[in-house]
Amino acid sequence: MIRLMLADDHPVVRAGIRAMLEADPELGVVAEAGTAAEAVRLAEAGGVDLVLMDLQFPGELQGAEATRRIRALPDAPRVLVLTNYDTDADILGAIEAGASGYLLKDAPPEELLAAVRLAAAGEAALAPAVSSRLAAAEGAEQRLTAREAEVLTLVAEGRSNRDIGRALFLSEATVKSHLVHIFTKLGVGSRTAAVARARELGAIRAG
């Protein structure tokens, strides 16, 4: 049996996913986490083969960083991201953090079950929409790196370069360097225009 953990802050969502998964006798949900920090703690305790991880949680720790911490554990379980978010920044951040797969919550049940098996075996399990999005972005000059997307997301929140540096543990000079690259890639000349263009391209979340 594949031992699963559900990490999502909505109990109703967890219940629905659990019911869907446990209809398959080869799958068993052995743990549930309502926060990213709880997911990391439960993963540390062991006994889990695969974590189904949302990206957005209340509190400081979010899904991508929790994925990174879980994958750094000895005998780490695999992680399959299951979320509503499909921006380039979210997808790249999760994959770079070590996620084996990325699926949207509106995926059909058979697609979710297939992705769970693939991810548990350590194989890539990307939703078709995510795969096509990454393929379309390959080699695209406008594509932001995960770090550039992080910087621009904080710019969108109205943070100063100093604040962004503190949040991401970067020097102000490095933040400015990232912004120069972002402006060049997006063909813009201001922070406001960069945010607007990145949202238009789906590189960062809107609003």
Side-chain angles (χ1 to χ4, degrees):
M1 176 181 285
I2 299 174
R3 300 167 298 175
L4 307 171
M5 181 203 303
L6 305 182
D8 192 294
D9 64 323
H10 294 100
V12 173
V13 172
R14 293 200 306 272
I17 296 171
R18 175 192 277 270
M20 192 186 309
L21 294 170
E22 292 192 332
D24 187 318
E26 295 181 4
L27 306 177
V29 177
V30 297
E32 292 190 23
T35 68
E38 186 180 8
V40 175
R41 285 196 300 272
L42 290 171
E44 287 173 340
V48 175
D49 301 311
L50 179 69
V51 181
L52 276 69
M53 177 75 72
D54 196 3
L55 290 182
Q56 191 78 36
F57 289 90
E60 286 293 318
L61 188 63
Q62 298 301 310
E65 178 58 26
T67 296
R68 192 184 312 279
R69 295 184 189 184
I70 288 171
R71 292 298 299 146
L73 295 172
D75 299 319
R78 307 286 182 179
V79 177
L80 172 65
V81 169
L82 185 62
T83 187
N84 288 321
Y85 303 104
D86 65 348
T87 69
D88 291 352
D90 289 314
I91 296 167
L92 285 171
I95 292 173
E96 289 180 2
S100 296
Y102 198 106
L103 207 63
L104 299 179
K105 287 182 178 176
D106 60 1
E110 60 273 14
E111 194 174 305
L112 173 59
L113 294 175
V116 165
R117 286 193 174 83
L118 284 171
E123 297 182 40
L126 297 175
V130 172
S131 294
S132 60
R133 180 159 196 153
L134 288 177
E138 282 297 330
E141 292 182 1
Q142 291 179 322
R143 179 173 174 178
L144 302 182
T145 65
R147 177 60 88 187
E148 288 167 351
E150 282 182 316
V151 169
L152 195 53
T153 297
L154 293 176
V155 168
E157 294 176 2
R159 306 274 197 102
S160 67
N161 288 353
R162 179 176 294 179
D163 287 342
I164 293 170
R166 285 174 179 162
L168 300 179
F169 303 101
L170 302 172
S171 69
E172 282 191 66
T174 301
V175 172
K176 289 176 183 176
S177 177
H178 280 307
L179 287 172
V180 168
H181 291 145
I182 290 167
F183 289 3
T184 301
K185 285 183 178 181
L186 300 181
V188 298
S190 73
R191 296 161 80 94
T192 303
V195 169
R197 181 62 178 149
R199 285 175 170 165
E200 181 184 324
L201 293 170
I204 63 172
R205 295 179 195 171

